[in-house]
Amino acid sequence: MDLDRAAGMNKITFFSAQPYDKTFFNKHNCEFGFDLEFFETQLNKHTVNLIQSSNIICVFVNDIVDEVVIKQLAEKGVRIIALRCAGFNNVNLEVAKRYGIHVCRVPAYSPEAVAEHAMAMILTLNRKTHKAYNRVREQNFSLNGLLGFDLNGKTIGIIGTGNIGKAFSKIGKGFGCKILAYDITINPEMEKEGVVFTDLDTVFKESDIISLHCPLNEKTKHIINKGSLAQMKNSVMIINTSRGGLIETASVIEALKEGKVGYLGIDVYEQEEKLFFRDLSEDIIKDDAIQRLMSFPNVLVTAHQAFFTNEALTQIALVTYNNIKELLIKKEIQNKLALLV
Ligand code: NAD
C-alpha cells in the first residue's frame, strides 16, 4: 500500500479526546506538522461519519474498533488506526488486516506510571490515607478503623511480567516483599533479581497481594473468577490496573461480601466504557455492579488513571506521531500490529 502524504494522509482524527489529549498532542505536533481534528465522542458505528478528509484515526482504550466499525472505516478510506495506548483488545486485528488497514500502538509509555499507581492503590487500601485525609479535616484525630499491615515480608503475586509487571516487581522488592510471578514466558533477568516464577495456582494460593499486569485476551478473560478466588488466602488484596475483563465482577463482589477478598483496588472495570473518562456527577448510574463495588469500604476505584502522568502523556504523543510518520514513509515499525498483505 502506498502510504505517502496524499490528500487526507496528513490529517489525524482523534476520538475520545479529552482536554489533556489536545494539550499534549497539540504541544508535540510542532515537529510533525499534522492537521489535527479532535472529537470528544467515542468511536463506534454511529460516529464513524465524523471522519472527514482524513485517512488516519487515533483511538484510545474504550473506542470500539470491531468488525462493523472497521468495515465502515475502510469505506471512508481510513488507512491507519493509531492506538494511543498499549492494550489493543478493543481492535479486531484480523479484520483490519483483511481491509489493509495498518494498526499501531504505544507498547510502552512510562510503565513506571502504571506500576507506581498500583503501589499507590496498595498503600491507600492498606494504610487508609483517603480516610485519614477526610477525618482530620473534620478534627477527628482518632486512629480507630485505620489499622494497616506492614508490606515488608508480605508476598506479592504478579500476573504478567512485561514492562509494567517488571517495573512493579522492582517497587515491591523495594518495600521488602517476596515477589511471586506468573507469565507465559519466564524472564531470566527478573529471576536473577530474586523474582520467583511459578504456576498460576501457586500465585493464587501463596500471595497476600495479587496484582494483574497481563493483557486481556481469550486466555486471561476472567482470570479472577469463583474458582481462582476460592484458592486465595482469606482477606487477600487484589489490584487490577490492567483491563477490567480480567476480573469476573459478580464473583469478586461475592468474595468481598464473604471477606475472602479483604481489599480490592481497580483502575479498570469490565463495563468502564459507559462510565470512565467523563463527569457523571449529575447522572443516575444504571450499572448496579459498579455501585455495589463503590459501596464497600475496602474497595478503591480509580477511573483508568494509572497511565496519567506528564511523562507518560508526552511519550504517548511522541510515539503515536512517530508511528504514523514511519508508516507514512513506508518503514517497518516495531509498534505495528497488523501487517499488510
Ligand atoms: P507487556 O506486553 O509489556 O506485558 C504483558 C505481559 O503479559 C507479557 O510479559 C506477556 O507474556 C504476559 N502475558 C500474556 N498472556 C499471558 C497469560 N495468559 N498469563 C500471564 N501472562 C501473560 O504489557 P504492559 O505494557 O506491561 O501492559 C500490561 C497491560 O496493562 C496492558 O495489556 C494494558 O491492558 C494495561 N495497561 C493499563 C494502563 C492503565 O492506565 N491502567 C496503562 C497501560 C497499560
Side-chain angles (χ1 to χ4, degrees), residues 103-105 107 323 326 331-337 339:
V103 184
C104 54
R105 65 169 181 146
N323 284 344
E326 292 195 20
K331 274 194 206 157
E332 289 300 316
I333 59 164
Q334 278 181 346
N335 304 336
K336 194 162 76 173
L337 290 171
L339 294 172

Side-chain angles (χ1 to χ4, degrees), residues 109 114 162-164 182-183 213 215 220 241-243 267 304 307:
Y109 50 91
V114 181
N163 293 307
I164 297 169
Y182 171 74
D183 196 300
H213 299 289
T220 59
T241 56
S242 193
R243 283 292 179 267
D267 185 52
H304 211 131
F307 73 100

Side-chain angles (χ1 to χ4, degrees), residues 222 224-229 247-258 260-261:
H222 292 173
I224 304 299
N225 56 40
K226 201 174 173 187
S228 54
L229 286 161
I247 295 184
E248 194 180 53
T249 308
S251 300
V252 95
I253 288 174
E254 281 312 305
L256 280 158
K257 286 201 248 174
E258 290 159 8
K260 179 61 149 180
V261 172

Side-chain angles (χ1 to χ4, degrees), residues 123-185:
L123 292 171
T124 305
L125 283 164
N126 175 18
R127 305 306 295 267
K128 303 169 181 68
T129 42
H130 56 310
K131 290 186 186 173
Y133 175 82
N134 287 327
R135 236 183 231 199
V136 294
R137 289 169 78 89
E138 290 178 8
Q139 300 178 36
N140 175 356
F141 301 104
S142 154
L143 298 184
N144 292 325
L146 300 183
L147 190 67
F149 58 84
D150 282 13
L151 275 178
N152 182 44
K154 295 293 183 297
T155 300
I156 298 184
I158 299 178
I159 300 178
T161 52
N163 293 307
I164 297 169
K166 187 175 157 198
F168 179 68
S169 78
K170 284 188 184 157
I171 297 173
K173 284 199 78 60
F175 276 84
C177 297
K178 176 182 174 186
I179 309 291
L180 287 181
Y182 171 74
D183 196 300
I184 46 172
T185 353

Side-chain angles (χ1 to χ4, degrees), residues 52-119:
Q52 295 298 328
S53 311
S54 168
N55 301 128
I56 308 166
I57 62 161
C58 184
V59 297
F60 197 50
V61 292
N62 292 326
D63 287 304
I64 295 171
V65 200
D66 60 9
E67 181 161 8
V68 176
V69 170
I70 292 172
K71 185 168 178 289
Q72 291 173 287
L73 291 173
E75 282 162 10
K76 292 217 68 114
V78 168
R79 314 295 292 277
I80 298 175
I81 298 169
L83 287 148
R84 55 181 188 277
C85 53
F88 50 91
N89 50 287
N90 53 332
V91 182
N92 190 327
L93 294 180
E94 280 308 309
V95 176
K97 190 173 173 179
R98 203 190 314 143
Y99 282 100
I101 298 178
H102 288 273
V103 184
C104 54
R105 65 169 181 146
V106 186
Y109 50 91
S110 183
E112 289 76 17
V114 181
E116 287 169 15
H117 189 78
M119 182 48 84

